[in-house]
Amino acid sequence: MSTASAQALPHDLRSASWRPVIITGLSGGGLSTAAKVFEDKGFFVSQNLPPQLILELVDLAAADDSPVERLAVVSDVRADRFNGSLADTLEGLRRRGYSPFVLFLEARDDVLIRRFDSVRRTHPLQGDGTLQDGIDREREEMEGIRSAADVIIDTSNLSVHDLRRAVEASVGELPVERQHVTIESFGFKHGSPRDADLIIDVRFLPNPYWVEELRDFRGIDAPVADYVLSQDGAKEYVDHFVDLLSSTLKGYRHEGKDFITVGVGCTGGHHRSVAVAEAIGKRLRQQGQVDVNVIHRDLEKH
């Protein structure tokens, strides 16, 4: 099937909820790891196809007689060496009636440099310049895709296992009719999550770390959770924030944003933020209006 022969909207999509996944982002950001997560979840994963072939592959996979139930395509800045671009491809998919889900992975410059140095690779856009030059060029070229992504994950502080959990939690089952909210606890001393749409700070609550019998527990443990949520203003804060978030979600939906990440921070990411994140997640699930995942980025860090 040529590109020219596939311009009409597909009439044989197996369901309105079928969504092709585009995994993209910065070189060294964790794209290969994310691809493996999707493979483990039963996706057919294709890597580094030219933009024109992505359109054809999606048409083939979406057909009623296709053996492919779910499709993910990995595409990075190298795809732009061919005619067209990833941005053109995404627009082409939307013109054909698809609703592509775009997952964008990134990391801080110092982390990307360390990752490239560890595997002794050059950056695909480095040319005759430095590794930093290549990273700067890639950030500039990918900014348009980043701004339109459904989910952005900053992998700077994530181990391979943490990244797997973050991808699984952020993507979920790719709901279409319902919004998807990820509540992510973290410790400010490890850095704020750059991929969060909203960040709240719960360091105003007394720290269980200074209660000797609670220090070795975590916010997922009942003694700590009960302590945190019993403090003056804690439950009221959760209630008010859930009300605020619910009204905010309506605006996000109007703007076409269906995947939202909320960061909940305390000092180390062990106690207060964990307990409050769990409480917010529980309240949202009780409302039943959105799909919710709760993850704890720094729970095991020292």
Side-chain angles (χ1 to χ4, degrees), residues 23 30-43 45 70 72 103 160-169 171:
I23 304 169
L31 275 64
S32 296
T33 299
K36 292 177 182 177
V37 173
F38 279 91
E39 286 181 345
D40 292 343
K41 290 174 72 68
F43 281 73
V45 178
R70 295 186 290 181
L103 173 64
V160 172
H161 300 298
D162 291 335
L163 175 55
R164 290 184 65 91
R165 286 190 288 268
V167 171
E168 291 171 349
V171 174

Side-chain angles (χ1 to χ4, degrees), residues 8 28 39 53 60-61 68 86 94 110 115 137 165 203:
E39 286 181 345
L53 294 184
L60 289 172
V68 176
L86 182 55
R94 296 185 182 103
D110 61 301
R115 289 174 182 173
R137 292 190 189 105
R165 286 190 288 268
R203 289 177 293 185

Side-chain angles (χ1 to χ4, degrees), residues 4 7 40-41 56 139 142 189 193 199 230 247:
Q7 294 303 314
D40 292 343
K41 290 174 72 68
E56 297 188 16
R139 285 195 188 278
M142 298 295 288
K189 75 176 187 178
I199 289 180
S230 68
S247 63

